[in-house]
Amino acid sequence: MAESNLDLFIRVAEKASASVLQDCDTVFAATYISEHLTGTLLLPHSPSLQRLGIQDTLAQAGVNLVTGDVRQQAAAAGGGLTGANFGIADTGTIVLESTDEATRLASTLPEQHFVLLDPGKILVDGIAAVAPLRALHQRDARNFIAYITGPSRTADIERVLTIGVHGPKQLHILLLPGISDDPLEN
Amino acid sequence: MDKKRNQLYRTQIDQALATPKLQQALHQFGDTYLLARENAFAGLDFEALRTDISDMKDKVRDNLEHYLDEFCRNAEAAGATLYHAASAQQANDYIAQLAVTKGAKLVVKSKSMASEETHLNDALEKAGTRVLETDLGEWIIQLAGQRPSHMVMPAIHMFKEEIAELFGKETGQEEPAEIEHLVEVARQQLRQSYLDADIGITGANIAVAETGGIALVTNEGNARLTSTLPATHVVLVGIEKLVPTLEDAAKIVQVLPKNATGQLLTSYVTWIRGAVPSGDGTKDLHIVLLDNGRRTLAASPNCKAALNCIRCGACANVCPVYQTVGGHVFGHIYIGAIGIILTAFYHGLEHAAELVRACIGCRACVTVCPSKIDLESIILSLREQVGDAEGIGAGKALVFRKVMRNRKLFHSLIRAASLLQKPVTRGERTIRHLPLFFSSLTEWRTLPTVAEKPLRDLFDNLPQQVEQPRYKVALYGGCANDFIYPELGIDLVTVMNRLDIQVSYPKEQNCCGIPALYSGDKETAVEMAKQNIDALLKDDPDFVLTTCPTCTIALQRDFVEHLHDNPAWVDKARRLAAITVDAASFIVNQLQAADRFEGLPGPERVTYHDACHLKRGVGVWQEPRELIRATGAELVEMEHADRCCGFGGSYSFTSHPDISKNILNDKLKDIENSGADCVAMDCPGCLMQIRGGLEKQEKKTRAVHTIELLAERLKTKS
Ligand code: SF4
């Protein structure tokens, strides 16, 4: 039997050095984050995360949250938490519409990036991803859309692959079934 | 030719060759790259993907203004400011002026080859703005005061110890030469600058007409920071980066990382359209669309395909010349095969004049290019242009124009050479040492002598007894077979007779013209094409056989190209192309006679060297292997069987003997490691090179043409 999109996504994302956690719920996600996070957590606005009420769960788990004006505190934060619009299986990629500046900061500056993705929103490949990519372009006049595959990396010194250069050093993808079925939201 | 420029270039080659560590690193990279690339494309049809990209890029190039308009309209609607820069200078002036207007003290940059092309950093520094490269490789070379030696991995030529020293100067303390540590130093050193910078400058891998947005394909995350944190974002992008739709962009994103480094996808692909939110307002987004020779390139009938390049850098990765001397020698700003072409158009033909001759013509790049660019042919046509502009050298011009075009004169001179060489040959078939200033030619390989009697003189006396000839076949010997290795022609007759084929040798045939063409003298090449077409078609043969793949390409392809707009000749050229076939393929495909060699005395361990022009020019590599196996020999594959042997005709004699020697040594090592007793090949040029190298190093392994091997077996049997 052919590998499912989900299995393919997990296999390839892990190969790209992302950590992937399956079958999470809100409490598990909050606990996981609190256990792995060093420092404060940037939490930019995200519809799916808001519906989940993850902010409160995180606070209960003792996570030190930064909301609101993220820009001032972004550089000092330890991690960022975002949703994801959808995933791409054959490259193990998460797609994050991040036109909102806070979302961008949360996913670029800190050393850790935590992502909550609904496993039902995984498309097979980059060609299949064009439809939602175009829909996002049609919905918004201006866009900043990120395909993120594993943590930041470089091979610029002696061609040796080294994880974590300017962007996040860790990418944690937590799969939460049922949090969103709309690839246009994250 | 410019003497001073040439001397400087020679010195650079010598320096590069004196750095074995660099060569070793580039060779290793070439090997790991090919493996990673193969894995990345597993399950995908590379040929189909690249045909798609090539067709799409053709369409864009031929309708450039249309897509440019569409892009600009959409980008402007999304709040971007567009600037059309006709030249590097205009682009730099615009960006420097912007920096001045903004009172910018610090600019952070992510990697952009276009900005290397225009020397943007210099322009900004002159305007009083500090520029900081944030891509790790770019930062390293900025600190070292150098230029990139690879388009994707700019600091591939540097080693961790040198980098630790550079970083130590920045941090004011000693930095250990450990890669992970050095990467962390870069992170810490550059971090604050993203926050402090007034302007962020990026390139763009793709510009999408449909949306008016760009895509950045990156790994480190610095481009995301550069385009996010500063209030102003400048995108410097060459107009060739346009694609019509998001689907087209997705196709490039699918192929680019796989072909560049063997990654399935880079860590980040960032799609940016318009002035996005930034701080309390919106980003000031400027898109500078760079021409700087691109429209001229788009209009060049012979070179325009080079504009389809998506800058994956693969053409350098697989290039034996690049692996031998690196990108600082084999490149100007852009490096490798594509670099030669872009240099000619973006920086001027004079900067490419040496480089066009540095290509050995092995076509390794052509097979990996995701835009299906025939880099070798374009480089050849540039060589013609340089030849026209600068002359091809008085000596060569005399030989080609006055001598080679006059077959009788040419041939009588070769005969005279056979007599003149007597004092140094000591009666042997190879020359081990040449006197005086010719001595460098035999330092690293022996050279075959010019035969006492050429094939053309021997041919009529060959006993050919074929009762019922199956086909009328003419042999096209080419210079090597005729004058250097006549025994190869005799062996071919032996083999063919055994397969019931009678062979004729049309005496009016002349050199195929490739040496003239490769040296930039097309006129002579065209003249030779005509002479050969007449000679070979005269008796209306069913097939014309060749033993040299370079000749095969000339007969099958080049003659038609030379004469395609000459109505008196084009049909004849096509006819000759249609009936020309290399000897091994003829036996396997037309005669289906491989099994006739079965059961002959063996066994020997034979390894096979793919001649560049046979495998990548003619598309033949299985047939000779089938024949070798058929003889009962054990075929053992060497590593890099299809890597160039370094011959390249005059490349190894006059233009780049030192590079040639190094590439040959790689080949000899691979042959030795295969453990074979014999290396077979289907090209007299490779034979000259490899046999010469093996003999000089006194190796036991012998080098043979596949046809010789077959004839040998037949003779031992009877
Ligand atoms: S010419 Fe082809 S192989 Fe070379 S960089 Fe461009 S796309 Fe890549």
Side-chain angles (χ1 to χ4, degrees), chain B residues 104-170:
Chain B
K105 291 193 186 58
L106 177 65
V107 166
V108 283
K109 270 183 72 201
S110 70
K111 195 172 129 28
S112 146
M113 279 309 294
S115 75
E116 296 285 347
E117 173 189 334
T118 66
H119 301 287
L120 175 62
N121 291 8
D122 293 345
L124 283 166
E125 301 271 0
K126 264 193 207 116
T129 309
R130 196 175 148 234
V131 185
L132 194 64
E133 294 285 353
T134 62
D135 172 83
L136 178 56
E138 290 283 342
W139 189 51
I140 293 169
I141 58 161
Q142 187 185 29
L143 293 177
Q146 299 186 2
R147 65 174 171 85
S149 76
H150 190 281
M151 298 192 297
V152 177
M153 283 158 292
I156 193 170
H157 60 287
M158 295 186 72
F159 295 90
K160 55 181 188 291
E161 292 75 19
E162 304 162 76
I163 296 166
E165 214 180 300
L166 287 172
F167 284 11
K169 279 186 203 145
E170 280 301 290

Side-chain angles (χ1 to χ4, degrees), chain A residues 71 101 104 108-109 134 137 140-147 149 151-154 156 158 165-167 169, chain B residues 78 134-135 137 159-160 184 187 191 194 210 219-220 224 228-229 247 267-269 271 273 275 277 279:
Chain A
R71 196 175 169 99
E101 193 184 34
R104 253 179 289 150
T108 54
L109 268 173
R134 176 170 287 124
H137 278 88
D140 307 324
R142 299 172 182 195
N143 318 77
F144 194 112
I145 300 162
Y147 286 12
T149 309
S152 106
R153 69 192 59 224
T154 184
D156 272 355
E158 295 191 5
V165 51
H166 303 292
K169 292 180 175 178
Chain B
T134 62
D135 172 83
F159 295 90
K160 55 181 188 291
E184 183 61 25
R187 181 182 178 103
R191 213 161 166 71
Y194 298 113
E210 175 192 354
N219 271 316
E220 295 187 1
R224 283 158 57 70
T228 291
L229 288 163
E247 276 85 3
S267 297
Y268 307 109
V269 177
W271 308 83
R273 170 175 61 174

